[in-house]
Amino acid sequence: MVRSSDRVKGRVSPPSRVGLALAGGGPLGGIYELGALLALSESIEGVDFNELDVYVGVSAGGFIAAGLANGLTPERMRHMFIESDTAEEPFAPELLLKPAFREYAMRALSVPPLLLASIWNYLANPWGQSFFESFQRLSRAIPTGIFNITGIERFLSRTYSAAGRSNDFRTLRRKLFLVATDLDSGESVVFGSPGWDHVPISTAVQASAALPGMFPPVEIEGHHYVDGALKKTLHASVALKEGANLVLCVNPLVPFDSELAVKRGAGQRHRLVDGGLPVVLAQTFRSIIHSRMLVGLSKYKTDYRNADVVLFEPNSDDAEMFFTNMFSYSSRRHLCEHAYQKTRTELYRRRHELGPILARHGIRIRLDLLKEKRSLIHHDVGGRAEPEDTLLAASHRLGDALDELKDLLKRRQDRARKAA
C-alpha cells in the first residue's frame, strides 16, 4: 500500500505493515469479533484481512486469527462457526460443551488416598491443627475444568491440515502469534515466536483458550497452559514489535454500565447483583481486563509513536453483549449480526477520526457502502425494520446533518474573513 503523497522526487516510502490483534471473550466473544470483522472487511478499502502482515490472537481471538492466517475469510468462518452449514468443515457447537470426563475420573481416583492421608494427618496430631486444616488437601480432588476442549483441537487440526492450509506456524505465509499463560510461572508465552513455533497451531489455540475453571489447563512438553488473557488482554504489542505500523484491534468484552443504558433508552436499570454469582464475576472480570487494556493502549502511544492502534469494541451500555450467555449458541446468529451492525455504525460515526488515520496507511472507509442497508441475515419481518437498521439509519442522518452544519459554519466563517 503506497500512498501517492509518498512519491517525492522519485522516492517511494515503504508500504505500511498492517496487523490485527483479537482479544478473548469466550465463544460469543469470538462470534462478536467475527461480526465486527465482516463489517470491517467490506467497509474499508485497501486492506485484505487474509493478507495482513501479522496476526495476534488471545483465547477466542486465537480461533479467528488462526483462521484468517490460514486463508479462511470472515464469511467462510461465519458459515463454519455460526451457520454450521459447510460440508468440508462441519462444526458442532456442542464440541465446547462436552464434560471433561477424563478430568473428573482422574480427580475422583485421587479422593481415597487424599481422604486416608487427611484422616491419618488429623489422628496423628489432633491438637496441632484444626479438623478443616487436616482435610484441606481434599481440595486437590476438585476438577480444574468443567468442559473438555480437546475436541476443538482435533477439529482445528483437521481444518488446518486441508489443502492450501497449514497447522505449522513456520510454513504460514503470514506471521501468526497465539498467546497463552504458563500456569506455573504466570508468564505469557507467544506461540509462533522463535522457540515456540514448533507447537501445532491447533494445540496453541487450545492452550490460549483454556479459560480456568471452564477448561482444564493444556499440557505441552511438561508445562501447563491456560487462557492468554490472564496476563494481558490484547497483546497488540506483539504486532507492534513485529514492525506493524497500523494495528486493528477488536475487543468484545467491556464492563456493563446499567445507568448509561437507562439514559440511552435501553430499558429499566439492571441490578447486576440480582444475576447472581455468574453476572457478578462477569462484571468483575470485564472491569479488570478492560482497565488493564486501556493502560496498555496508553503506553503504546509513547512506546510506538510512529504506529497507529485502532480499537473496535462494544459500547458500555450494550446489554445484548453482556447478558447473552457466553456458552449459549441459540443466539449466535443474532449476536454476529448485532456486532456487524454495531461496527458499521461505529465506522460511520468515527469517520472523521478514523479517516485520516487509515488514510496514512493507504486505507479508506467506504462511506457509500456504510450508507446502504445491509445485513448478514434477513431482517425485515412484515415490513418492520430491526433495531440495528433503525440505529444505523439514524446515525447516518445525524452524521449527514452534522456535516452540513459544519460546512455551513465554515462558509460563514470564510465570508466573514473576506468581509473583514
Side-chain angles (χ1 to χ4, degrees):
M1 292 174 288
V2 179
R3 303 185 295 273
S4 58
S5 59
D6 291 329
R7 302 179 185 275
V8 180
K9 297 181 179 180
R11 293 179 299 175
V12 178
S13 298
S16 291
R17 289 176 56 83
V18 182
L20 177 69
L22 301 177
L28 294 187
I31 290 173
Y32 186 95
E33 290 176 331
L34 197 51
L37 288 171
L38 284 160
L40 293 173
S41 63
E42 74 172 21
S43 302
I44 58 177
E45 185 177 76
V47 59
D48 183 337
F49 280 89
N50 289 112
E51 295 293 336
L52 301 181
D53 296 285
V54 55
Y55 299 87
V56 181
V58 182
S59 191
F63 282 80
I64 310 301
L68 292 171
N70 253 301
L72 294 170
T73 65
E75 180 65 16
R76 182 64 176 269
M77 285 192 282
R78 181 175 77 88
H79 284 281
M80 287 174 59
F81 298 126
I82 299 173
E83 303 297 338
S84 300
D85 59 1
T86 56
E88 292 181 28
E89 307 100 351
F91 176 76
E94 294 76 19
L95 282 176
L96 286 171
L97 301 177
K98 288 185 176 180
F101 289 120
R102 185 173 183 273
E103 174 73 5
Y104 300 165
M106 290 177 59
R107 298 292 169 173
L109 290 173
S110 71
V111 171
L114 287 173
L115 181 59
L116 288 174
S118 297
I119 294 173
W120 176 259
N121 186 57
Y122 178 71
L123 294 177
N125 187 17
W127 310 112
Q129 54 188 332
S130 69
F131 178 84
F132 291 105
E133 286 178 318
S134 298
F135 286 82
Q136 186 177 9
R137 68 184 64 198
L138 283 173
S139 62
R140 301 177 192 174
I142 300 174
T144 57
I146 301 172
F147 301 114
N148 184 0
I149 201 173
T150 56
I152 290 295
E153 194 280 333
R154 289 193 293 268
F155 167 80
L156 294 177
S157 179
R158 291 194 306 270
T159 302
Y160 298 154
S161 299
R165 302 173 194 160
S166 175
N167 199 26
D168 190 329
F169 287 100
R170 297 165 294 189
T171 59
L172 285 176
R173 293 178 54 248
R174 302 292 176 178
K175 290 285 187 179
L176 170 66
F177 300 99
L178 303 171
V179 186
T181 304
D182 188 317
L183 183 62
D184 291 322
S185 68
E187 295 300 317
S188 295
V189 172
V190 183
F191 293 106
S193 61
W196 298 99
D197 53 1
H198 63 285
V199 176
I201 295 173
S202 57
T203 303
V205 170
Q206 179 190 8
S208 180
L211 183 65
M214 289 297 178
F215 303 110
V218 176
E219 183 176 359
I220 302 174
E221 299 175 357
H223 289 259
H224 291 85
Y225 298 93
V226 294
D227 197 308
L230 265 65
K231 191 73 174 180
K232 289 174 64 177
T233 307
L234 266 174
H235 291 275
S237 58
V238 175
L240 293 168
K241 290 175 183 177
E242 284 293 311
N245 310 108
L246 171 66
V247 182
L248 302 174
C249 306
V250 182
N251 169 53
L253 295 186
V254 297
F256 181 65
D257 188 336
S258 60
E259 293 184 357
L260 179 61
V262 173
K263 290 178 181 178
R264 293 182 175 177
Q268 63 181 8
R269 184 174 180 270
H270 293 275
R271 283 168 42 91
L272 298 188
V273 71
D274 294 338
L277 181 61
V279 171
V280 172
L281 288 178
Q283 179 76 331
T284 303
F285 177 70
R286 288 166 181 253
S287 299
I288 292 173
I289 66 170
H290 194 260
S291 61
R292 191 172 57 188
M293 182 193 69
L294 294 179
V295 171
L297 290 176
S298 64
K299 288 184 62 179
Y300 298 156
K301 294 179 181 179
T302 56
D303 295 346
Y304 303 94
R305 295 181 179 179
N306 296 323
D308 292 308
V309 179
V310 178
L311 174 67
F312 297 93
E313 61 181 5
N315 295 329
S316 57
D317 64 333
D318 194 337
E320 178 105 15
M321 184 61 193
F322 184 81
F323 288 103
T324 301
N325 187 336
M326 288 178 65
F327 289 91
S328 168
Y329 274 82
S330 61
S331 58
R332 62 188 189 275
R333 295 178 71 217
H334 182 74
L335 182 60
C336 187
E337 173 73 18
H338 175 73
Y340 171 79
Q341 298 296 350
K342 163 65 176 67
T343 306
R344 296 185 77 231
T345 301
E346 185 176 0
L347 272 173
Y348 191 85
R349 180 180 60 82
R350 297 173 61 191
R351 64 194 184 282
H352 297 302
E353 168 205 347
L354 297 179
I357 295 175
L358 297 177
R360 288 200 289 267
H361 306 279
I363 302 170
R364 77 179 185 95
I365 301 175
R366 291 289 306 274
L367 296 179
D368 56 326
L369 295 183
L370 290 176
K371 289 183 178 181
E372 293 180 4
K373 181 179 177 180
R374 293 190 168 216
S375 173
L376 299 176
I377 57 178
H378 184 64
H379 263 310
D380 290 339
V381 180
R384 179 177 60 85
E386 291 290 326
E388 288 89 348
D389 295 326
T390 304
L391 177 62
L392 190 63
S395 175
H396 290 168
R397 289 194 297 271
L398 177 60
D400 291 340
L402 290 175
D403 285 344
E404 291 175 5
L405 178 60
K406 183 179 179 181
D407 291 339
L408 176 61
L409 292 174
K410 186 176 184 302
R411 288 196 297 270
R412 289 188 175 182
Q413 290 173 350
D414 292 342
R415 284 200 298 267
R417 280 195 298 267
K418 290 178 181 179

